[in-house]
Amino acid sequence: MRKRIVAGNWKMNCDLSETDYLLSRLLEQDLDPKVEVIVTPPFVNLYTAFNLLKTSSIEVAAQNMHFESNGAYTGEVSAQMLKSVGVQTVILGHSERRAYFGEDNALLAKKVSAALGNEMTTIFCFGEELEDRKAGNHFNLVKQQLQEGLFHISEKDWSHIVLAYEPVWAIGTGETATPDQAQEMHQFIRETIAEAYSTDIAEGVSILYGGSVKPNNAAEIFGKPDVDGGLIGGASLDAGNFAQIVNAFQ
Ligand code: PEP
């Protein structure tokens, strides 16, 4: 059975004391033990988060990283550095990285390789903009993002990959893809992977949905057969809401 995963993308939120507070509240929640729960504080608080959570089953992941291991890349953080503070998983390709920091598929392909080279798990994000969907180009665009950013990896690398389909028009907007729209795209993603690799790989990879998932819509979205969980932005900043989303699987 595929892993069920709920990951909170904290984005550029929570200073040190807020991180401590949010994680302490999260540790008080009853979380479905069948769900892998991940939080992603900003870089400066990863080590604190790792230490606060190390006796719990909640994992800590990073929101980004550079593809080189070290050197003259001012302001950047490498896979080795993340691993040195206990981080084994990284989000790559979030739409905000693509839109505001110029991250394109070619750059993301290098980052994915660096993560795999360091035996880290990647949560690979992708998804169409509203114009693509209106133009009926969303399937093509998603396929291209996968082909150019991810499909250079080998079959065995897929055990270190989690996918996050996030239609850009639904991120932070309060607008959610309908459960049927999410299912339709997730099924297409699996078919695309099956064509490029194999049915086993396509059926084995967890595909998360992201875009305004809240306690009141999570159950319906997670109830779709090809949706294996969620990447949660805004609602992950409240421990109670995040716990309700984690516990939304039927
Ligand atoms: C995200 O940041 O990945 C996200 C899905 O945000 P939100 O849940 O706030 O739409």
Side-chain angles (χ1 to χ4, degrees):
M1 195 174 129
R2 289 191 291 270
K3 273 195 222 165
R4 292 171 163 183
I5 301 170
V6 174
N9 175 16
W10 289 18
K11 313 191 190 211
M12 196 172 73
N13 291 298
C14 294
D15 64 14
L16 184 57
S17 64
E18 290 163 335
T19 297
D20 188 274
Y21 178 81
L22 179 50
L23 293 179
S24 303
R25 296 290 79 76
L26 197 54
L27 285 169
E28 292 165 5
Q29 310 292 319
D30 279 328
L31 300 174
D32 182 344
K34 294 188 294 305
V35 180
E36 194 173 311
V37 180
I38 302 174
V39 293
T40 66
F43 285 135
V44 287
N45 294 324
L46 288 172
Y47 187 52
T48 300
F50 174 75
N51 281 317
L52 277 169
L53 297 175
K54 71 180 166 203
T55 55
S56 86
S57 58
I58 302 171
E59 290 166 51
V60 180
Q63 300 174 19
N64 179 36
M65 64 170 217
H66 196 267
F67 58 85
E68 291 289 0
S69 359
N70 48 52
Y73 300 98
T74 302
E76 293 292 329
V77 169
S78 72
Q80 273 121 317
M81 292 168 190
L82 293 176
K83 287 185 73 175
S84 76
V85 295
V87 172
Q88 296 289 343
T89 301
V90 62
I91 296 176
L92 295 175
H94 191 277
S95 65
E96 288 150 19
R97 300 293 319 169
R98 292 177 189 258
Y100 307 143
F101 302 97
E103 298 200 4
D104 59 15
N105 295 335
L107 175 71
L108 291 170
K110 286 196 204 176
K111 291 190 176 200
V112 169
S113 294
L116 290 169
N118 284 281
E119 295 181 339
M120 289 180 74
T121 293
T122 295
I123 301 176
F124 185 78
C125 303
F126 54 96
E128 81 283 0
E129 311 242 358
L130 189 56
E131 302 82 74
D132 305 307
R133 185 161 276 265
K134 281 190 176 153
N137 195 34
H138 45 300
F139 292 114
N140 284 340
L141 190 110
V142 159
K143 188 172 194 173
Q144 189 181 359
Q145 287 174 325
L146 290 170
Q147 285 172 333
E148 295 179 7
L150 195 63
F151 282 5
H152 61 291
I153 70 173
S154 71
E155 294 204 357
K156 72 170 178 33
D157 291 333
W158 278 90
S159 58
H160 291 286
I161 299 292
V162 173
L163 299 178
Y165 166 61
E166 299 204 301
V168 179
W169 47 273
I171 298 181
T173 58
E175 179 103 17
T176 329
T178 65
D180 286 341
Q181 283 173 322
Q183 168 57 26
E184 183 186 38
M185 184 58 89
H186 283 220
Q187 190 179 330
F188 171 77
I189 293 161
R190 267 188 229 291
E191 286 162 8
T192 304
I193 297 167
E195 264 170 42
Y197 288 87
S198 68
T199 311
D200 275 2
I201 288 174
E203 289 301 320
V205 66
S206 295
I207 310 180
L208 315 185
Y209 170 79
S212 299
V213 176
K214 308 285 178 208
N216 64 2
N217 60 20
E220 215 190 331
I221 297 170
F222 295 175
K224 292 292 172 187
D226 285 299
V227 178
D228 304 305
L231 182 56
I232 317 300
S236 70
L237 298 173
D238 178 282
N241 285 343
F242 189 58
Q244 283 186 56
I245 295 171
V246 169
N247 295 336
F249 292 91
Q250 302 300 316

